[in-house]
Amino acid sequence: MQRSCGIGGQAVLEGIMMRSGEKYAISVRKADHEIETDVRDVKRYLAFKGSEKIPILRGVCSFVDSMIVGMSTLMWSAQFFEEEEDCEKRKTMTEEEKAKEEKSWGVMMTVTLIISLVLAVGVFMVLPYFLASLLGRIGVSDVLINVAEALLRIVIFLGYMFLISRMKDIQRVFAYHGAEHKCINCIEHGLPLTTENVLKSSRLHKRCGTSFLLIVIVITVICFLILGACGITSHLMRIVLRLILVPVIAGVAYEFLRLGGKSDNALVDLLTKPGLALQKLVTREPDEEMAEVAITAIESVFDWKKWQEENC
């Protein structure tokens, strides 16, 4: 049985963030090929004492925290690839000016996060409803409208994933994503964390955030089909209920992903296969330098040798 080491991660610009317990590390391969690493404490924005023991609620808290950490790590990695004049300007800045810039970055991060969430909810939750509702004008039954909404939601999601996977710049990020998974799989299969072992490990992992997104879409489809069968006729009420259900759906998806990452049950494995298949779109085979970055990030926050001694 493959045990879960509890490590989570995210690909960033030319690097990887790895999180273990209350710390996370961001490692980036700079233009001079050196690896820069920053280790930080995890900050809780929604979680409170005991919330990690409450199913669904812990998923909502984890989702929000992960979004904020993910955005901040992306911005941190981006600073190493600024235009040359921006880099020179930064060198001449006073500590006060740097503090002001960091504050403005924080504000920009918050605004970006809010806009991203609004767009995601709008595109994947509300837009399919409005498009499917147009069928009502030509006399299509409510049942078929609900089915059309479900199909549209799936098509929009898969189309989005396919299109971004074709972008050349994003493909390097996806290769780092693959390196992240390979490192975690290497540890969880009891292999020494070497570049060679990492590269031969699988780039697919059951706890991947991409699988989480697919689970969210599937649960959304099921919930909204049930909601559509309740006979609610008000468009405003239908939209409000969809928005209210968003955090609940995220929480349920988190619980399923958590179960899938810890269980070797045949049924659970079967249900996680669509998510693993989708990961083939959003991961690429990394090179040796990418694997080294992933190893650096993990070893900055996690004692994998001790974990393997106790669990493998």
Side-chain angles (χ1 to χ4, degrees):
M1 176 180 175
Q2 179 184 345
R3 293 180 179 271
S4 170
C5 64
I7 299 174
Q10 172 189 313
V12 296
L13 297 177
E14 292 300 324
I16 291 173
M17 179 274 286
M18 289 291 191
R19 174 174 170 174
S20 177
E22 297 302 309
K23 288 190 176 293
Y24 65 97
I26 322 156
S27 292
V28 171
R29 178 79 70 178
K30 298 188 296 183
D32 60 6
H33 295 284
E34 293 295 317
I35 299 176
E36 181 86 13
T37 299
D38 186 33
V39 179
R40 303 177 181 180
D41 293 323
V42 173
K43 292 182 179 180
R44 306 289 183 183
Y45 295 91
L46 284 187
F48 53 88
K49 188 176 181 180
S51 63
E52 70 280 358
K53 297 179 181 179
I54 304 175
I56 299 181
L57 177 61
R58 63 190 173 196
V60 177
C61 294
S62 177
F63 175 69
V64 173
D65 289 348
S66 296
M67 286 281 289
I68 295 172
V69 169
M71 193 65 67
S72 66
T73 55
L74 273 172
M75 290 188 170
W76 185 83
S77 67
Q79 70 176 307
F80 296 102
F81 306 99
E82 295 174 331
E83 296 293 334
E84 187 174 340
E85 56 266 27
D86 291 331
C87 293
E88 292 300 320
K89 180 183 176 182
R90 186 183 293 275
K91 291 178 183 178
T92 60
M93 289 171 64
T94 65
E95 290 301 318
E96 185 178 351
E97 288 173 331
K98 288 180 180 178
K100 285 183 179 179
E101 187 179 70
E102 287 178 8
K103 187 176 180 179
S104 66
W105 270 76
V107 172
M108 186 170 68
M109 181 188 74
T110 302
V111 172
T112 303
L113 181 62
I114 293 171
I115 292 173
S116 299
L117 283 172
V118 170
L119 285 174
V121 171
V123 172
F124 297 113
M125 298 292 182
V126 180
L127 179 61
Y129 169 75
F130 275 116
L131 292 177
S133 296
L134 296 176
L135 294 174
R137 297 181 179 180
I138 56 175
V140 176
S141 68
D142 285 344
V143 173
L144 289 179
I145 289 174
N146 292 333
V147 172
E149 180 188 350
L151 292 174
L152 278 169
R153 186 166 286 109
I154 293 171
V155 168
I156 290 173
F157 174 71
L158 293 178
Y160 169 77
M161 299 304 291
F162 176 77
L163 288 175
I164 64 170
S165 72
R166 301 294 98 190
M167 298 170 63
K168 188 170 290 186
D169 290 341
I170 295 297
Q171 286 178 3
R172 280 195 64 80
V173 176
F174 285 173
Y176 276 104
H177 189 190
E180 172 214 331
H181 287 185
K182 282 173 172 283
C183 269
I184 297 172
N185 277 320
C186 179
I187 292 171
E188 293 181 343
H189 283 87
L191 298 173
L193 194 60
T194 63
T195 303
E196 182 182 359
N197 286 336
V198 167
L199 290 176
K200 70 182 183 183
S201 296
S202 172
R203 75 176 200 261
L204 310 180
H205 198 281
K206 289 193 289 186
R207 293 198 318 273
C208 175
T210 307
S211 295
F212 171 80
L213 291 176
L214 182 60
I215 295 166
V216 165
I217 293 297
V218 172
I219 295 174
T220 299
V221 166
I222 295 170
C223 285
F224 290 177
L225 280 174
I226 296 172
L227 195 64
C230 292
I232 299 171
T233 57
S234 167
H235 287 297
L236 178 60
M237 184 58 67
R238 287 179 176 181
I239 293 171
V240 169
L241 286 173
R242 278 160 171 74
L243 296 177
I244 290 173
L245 282 173
V246 168
V248 178
I249 290 168
V252 173
Y254 172 85
E255 295 300 325
F256 183 85
L257 192 66
R258 191 168 181 261
L259 175 64
K262 293 182 175 181
S263 174
D264 277 337
N265 179 277
L267 177 60
V268 174
D269 282 347
L270 180 64
L271 293 174
T272 58
K273 285 191 181 300
L276 293 174
L278 184 61
Q279 287 178 41
K280 293 179 181 179
L281 272 181
V282 297
T283 61
R284 293 286 185 273
E285 288 295 331
D287 57 31
E288 189 172 321
E289 286 196 341
M290 293 174 177
E292 289 173 356
V293 172
I295 291 171
T296 301
I298 280 188
E299 291 187 330
S300 298
V301 292
F302 185 70
D303 188 346
W304 61 268
K305 291 181 181 178
K306 181 180 178 182
W307 184 88
Q308 286 184 342
E309 287 173 2
E310 295 174 351
N311 296 275
C312 296

